[in-house]
Amino acid sequence: MSQTTQQERRSAESVITATGASLEVRDLRIKYGEVEAVKGISFSIRPGEFLTLLGPSGCGKTTTLRCIAGLEAPSGGSITLDDTVIASAQKQLPPEKRGINMVFQSYAVWPHMTVEKNVGYGLKGLDRKEVAARVSEVLALVGLDPYAKRYGTELSGGQQQRVALARAIVTRPKLLLFDEPLSNLDAGLREQMRFELLELQRTVGITSVYVTHDQTEAMSMSDRVVLMRDGAIEQLDVPREIYRRPTTEFAATFIGRANLVHAALTEDPHVAVGDGVRIRSEEGYSGSGTDVLAVFRSENVVLGREALEYENRWSATVERVSFLGRHLDVALRLPGGVIRAEVRSDAAVAAGDVVDVGVRAVDVHFVPSAR
Ligand code: ATP
């Protein structure tokens, strides 16, 4: 897409006028034999929104996506696109009647066809002039116009992925589904394609559901993230909130690196005591005596004099210091366990030091403990 000039892109934007649909998934259940892969999940997507299903392998995200596409049937619940129920245990609209396109991990570009033939394939039945106009506008959008006559075999991985994207948007679907579309690309290209894909989605405005197990991809691209675990929704929120305020231990540890300290709540809902430390959280949690986990991110832990200004101050022994270029990863032993701090790489800290450790109450969250 980098080859596309601003002018070309503007002219392409003026032709593509997709209006995204809304999608509602209600109490969706999907079974494989006796195994329930999706256990009654509900979420809705606003027109034009980019929503990501994120979670570890086997959590049910691909199954959910395939059910929206019409490639799996629900055993319960419903999926509604705008005002039409497209899937329920009783009714299944065939995939080709849903107005939904899917972009796969394997680009599925036909090698023996040119780029323009690949992209125009889904427009069969339309007037030739119309097909040519639509194909060229979409190729300009994804920056592949100079490659229109190339064959699938003559394209790089990134270019093939752009063909797959062009093919998915040229039919102007109501909804776009992405199944780990960038995971076959090398790390550098993957990062570049993330931004390109999102920019494209914003330009054409098609409502999108994206599946990935890569938290960075989910965080950087999505309007909202549905974090899934074992066929159920663990947390659904905007990326910043999921990162800043995970509501469960799983959410705290799956996304980013979190320190978890076991503690019991005191009569003050803002204070928990455990593992030899007293921890204050600004938001609080009710239930005196309840076991909780105090969660805080390693980048919110400070060392030395700065710590004295923080509501949570502890004394710790430095166990290990690892130099990671931009920062130091410091392992700190507290009476009840080890926590990690991410501090500036020029900080004067060494293994064996006894240091003051500080965490602001606003950066601490209590989540339920399974203990
Ligand atoms: P991954 O990232 O590995 O693709 P996922 O989160 O997308 O994982 P799904 O592929 O949706 O997970 O699988 C959810 C559960 O359903 C898993 O336990 C899986 O083993 C099971 N499953 C998926 N497809 C089938 C199938 N065709 N037959 C039986 N079980 C299946």
Side-chain angles (χ1 to χ4, degrees):
M1 217 178 295
S2 45
Q3 297 97 331
T4 311
T5 65
Q6 283 299 322
Q7 200 180 4
E8 281 169 328
R9 185 169 300 170
R10 265 198 295 277
S11 74
E13 275 171 35
S14 66
V15 189
I16 293 213
T17 51
T19 43
S22 63
L23 184 84
E24 178 159 17
V25 172
R26 188 176 292 171
D27 197 24
L28 183 69
R29 294 175 185 276
I30 307 166
K31 273 186 166 180
Y32 293 112
E34 286 307 296
V35 178
E36 196 163 45
V38 175
K39 301 171 181 168
I41 62 170
S42 301
F43 59 88
S44 52
I45 312 177
R46 296 184 292 267
E49 189 175 19
F50 194 110
L51 183 116
T52 296
L53 307 180
L54 171 71
S57 184
C59 71
K61 49 196 190 300
T62 303
T63 303
T64 304
L65 199 75
R66 288 173 58 80
C67 196
I68 298 171
L71 307 173
E72 303 286 349
S75 53
S78 62
I79 303 175
T80 308
L81 188 63
D82 280 341
D83 297 324
T84 310
V85 175
I86 56 169
S88 70
Q90 293 76 34
K91 175 186 165 186
Q92 273 273 65
L93 199 64
E96 65 281 5
K97 297 238 168 91
R98 294 187 178 196
I100 296 176
N101 278 346
M102 191 151 164
V103 179
F104 296 92
Q105 182 177 351
S106 59
Y107 321 114
V109 169
W110 292 294
H112 58 285
M113 279 188 198
T114 60
V115 165
E116 59 185 7
K117 285 267 177 338
N118 259 286
V119 175
Y121 191 82
L123 298 173
K124 274 198 303 196
L126 286 187
D127 171 82
R128 268 177 56 189
K129 263 194 180 158
E130 169 82 7
V131 172
R134 284 222 213 166
V135 168
S136 89
E137 75 182 359
V138 170
L139 288 183
L141 259 184
V142 299
L144 276 183
D145 28 352
Y147 300 87
K149 305 286 181 205
R150 287 245 191 125
Y151 282 88
T153 46
E154 299 168 335
L155 300 172
S156 69
Q159 289 163 343
Q160 289 185 49
Q161 191 52 274
R162 289 188 184 107
V163 173
L165 276 173
R167 208 169 44 190
I169 59 175
V170 77
T171 57
R172 301 176 184 172
K174 293 179 181 166
L175 184 70
L176 265 181
L177 306 177
F178 296 94
D179 189 8
E180 309 240 11
L182 306 183
S183 52
N184 278 344
L185 303 174
D186 66 51
L189 189 56
R190 200 157 63 220
E191 198 182 341
Q192 181 192 334
M193 285 297 290
R194 247 188 247 152
F195 295 113
E196 292 192 7
L197 195 155
L198 188 59
E199 201 184 325
L200 182 67
Q201 192 268 346
R202 296 291 190 232
T203 303
V204 298
I206 303 175
T207 312
S208 300
V209 186
Y210 192 96
V211 158
T212 184
H213 62 270
D214 181 329
Q215 50 162 305
T216 313
E217 226 165 84
M219 289 289 157
S220 61
M221 297 176 76
S222 321
D223 292 314
R224 287 184 304 153
V225 173
V226 179
L227 179 62
M228 291 183 69
R229 177 197 190 191
D230 197 19
I233 294 179
E234 189 81 5
Q235 190 168 357
L236 194 172
D237 214 325
V238 297
R240 187 180 294 263
E241 281 302 295
I242 290 200
Y243 187 80
R244 291 199 58 221
R245 279 181 239 279
T247 51
T248 64
E249 178 177 359
F250 175 80
T253 49
F254 188 78
I255 294 172
R257 182 198 287 157
N259 287 302
L260 303 173
V261 176
H262 285 279
L265 279 175
T266 63
E267 298 214 329
D268 179 346
H270 297 278
V271 178
V273 174
D275 286 357
V277 290
R278 183 181 170 81
I279 305 177
R280 174 172 282 277
S281 162
E282 191 157 292
E283 67 190 8
Y285 195 97
S286 57
S288 176
T290 309
D291 281 335
V292 290
L293 283 168
V295 178
F296 49 95
R297 302 281 175 193
S298 52
E299 68 268 24
N300 293 326
V301 178
V302 299
L303 305 182
R305 293 231 320 257
E306 202 186 336
L308 302 177
E309 296 162 19
Y310 284 32
E311 297 92 336
N312 292 297
R313 290 184 302 274
W314 312 302
S315 177
T317 306
V318 176
E319 278 213 335
R320 180 175 39 75
V321 179
S322 310
F323 177 70
L324 297 179
R326 273 213 329 241
H327 65 265
L328 300 179
D329 173 27
V330 184
L332 300 152
R333 174 151 300 276
L334 291 173
V338 175
I339 63 165
R340 308 268 283 274
E342 195 180 297
V343 300
R344 284 175 52 141
S345 54
D346 59 358
V349 56
D353 289 354
V354 175
V355 291
D356 289 315
V357 176
V359 184
R360 284 187 305 200
V362 72
D363 292 323
V364 177
H365 306 283
F366 295 144
V367 301
S369 163
R371 204 156 75 168

